[in-house]
Amino acid sequence: MSEKVNELDLVQFIAEQTNIDSKSIRLVLKHEQDFINYAQADVNGDVDVDGDELVEYVLSRPDVDLDELTVETILDTEMDFFMDRGYAGYED
């Protein structure tokens, strides 16, 4: 991605779409970034993120006191944000 995403815009978008508090959203996004940072990149430098593994990772963090549906909703809405702005898409 060539442009830096404004975190405040992202958090506000997710909060408006889901009615989840910004503290919970930021916590999930922080752990998501940690997960991605430690994932193995392929020969092209791309990281393939399994959604189920990501959700399990976030839920396993000791400071996360959210249910699975809430975590999935935050991550799905984040993807909606990126797709709406042309930053991301789904691979078949």
Side-chain angles (χ1 to χ4, degrees), residues 5-59:
V5 173
N6 182 319
E7 181 185 2
L8 181 59
D9 289 344
L10 173 60
V11 171
Q12 285 178 335
F13 177 86
I14 296 170
E16 289 170 3
Q17 298 294 314
T18 65
N19 293 319
I20 298 170
D21 66 279
S22 61
K23 181 180 175 187
S24 296
I25 294 167
R26 289 182 193 281
L27 183 62
V28 170
L29 296 178
K30 176 181 103 43
H31 288 304
E32 175 192 29
Q33 190 60 54
D34 292 343
F35 181 85
I36 291 169
N37 288 343
Y38 292 110
Q40 294 293 326
D42 64 16
V43 293
N44 297 321
D46 296 327
V47 176
D48 184 27
V49 176
D50 180 280
D52 292 334
E53 289 178 9
L54 174 56
V55 170
E56 287 178 28
Y57 175 82
V58 172
L59 290 172

